[in-house]
Amino acid sequence: KEACRSLSFACRLVDDDDDDGDLELTSVNNRKKPLFLAVEGMSCAACSSKVEKSLKALDFVRDAAVSSTTHRAKVVPLTSRFDEAQIATLVAEVTKLGFKATPPASKNGDDDDDDDDDPCSTTRAFD
């Protein structure tokens, strides 16, 4: 059960219905929905590192990865999604550093096109 949780999955024990008294461990994907921000004004790795460090320091952010090449920030929430106030705080934090951040047009960063090339987007299941 702990191994399942360490991979960010919710787990539960269920009866496997074969009357042998054994229980099965099932998992439910508990993936956090990342938010992708467009970040303008970054010109080097030092810029992206500065933004990334600042975003990671926020208490509602689980992880962040920022690229000066693609001018994007991928920010992962501690909960399943960011709320509107948190998104505004993310934008303000980047702006405070002298860059311009733009959240995706859709609510909560549902930028589905980006999940296709995201290596973390696959759904894992356990038998």
Side-chain angles (χ1 to χ4, degrees), residues 7-52:
L7 296 172
S8 297
F9 287 94
C11 302
R12 61 189 169 105
L13 292 173
V14 295
D15 187 359
D16 60 7
D17 293 327
D18 62 6
D19 294 328
D20 63 2
D22 293 337
L23 296 175
E24 287 182 350
L25 181 65
T26 63
S27 65
V28 178
N29 192 344
N30 194 22
R31 182 172 171 250
K32 312 298 185 204
K33 181 70 177 174
L35 177 83
F36 295 87
L37 297 172
V39 182
E40 296 177 38
M42 296 185 301
S43 59
C44 63
C47 295
S48 60
S49 179
K50 183 177 176 180
V51 173
E52 186 173 303

Side-chain angles (χ1 to χ4, degrees), residues 1-125:
K1 199 170 184 176
E2 289 304 314
C4 190
R5 284 191 180 129
S6 71
L7 296 172
S8 297
F9 287 94
C11 302
R12 61 189 169 105
L13 292 173
V14 295
D15 187 359
D16 60 7
D17 293 327
D18 62 6
D19 294 328
D20 63 2
D22 293 337
L23 296 175
E24 287 182 350
L25 181 65
T26 63
S27 65
V28 178
N29 192 344
N30 194 22
R31 182 172 171 250
K32 312 298 185 204
K33 181 70 177 174
L35 177 83
F36 295 87
L37 297 172
V39 182
E40 296 177 38
M42 296 185 301
S43 59
C44 63
C47 295
S48 60
S49 179
K50 183 177 176 180
V51 173
E52 186 173 303
K53 184 177 178 181
S54 183
L55 293 173
K56 285 181 175 181
L58 296 171
D59 62 355
F60 56 87
V61 172
R62 180 181 183 136
D63 196 17
V66 181
S67 171
S68 60
T69 306
T70 62
H71 304 282
R72 291 171 39 119
K74 177 182 178 180
V75 191
V76 181
L78 281 177
T79 59
S80 62
R81 293 177 178 258
F82 290 110
D83 63 33
E84 295 301 317
Q86 291 170 331
I87 292 171
T89 301
L90 292 170
V91 170
E93 189 68 22
V94 173
T95 302
K96 184 171 71 174
L97 297 172
F99 305 104
K100 180 181 178 188
T102 307
S106 62
K107 188 176 179 183
N108 285 321
D110 289 340
D111 192 356
D112 290 333
D113 293 338
D114 295 315
D115 285 346
D116 295 339
D117 60 358
D118 180 7
C120 297
S121 68
T122 57
T123 302
R124 297 179 186 170

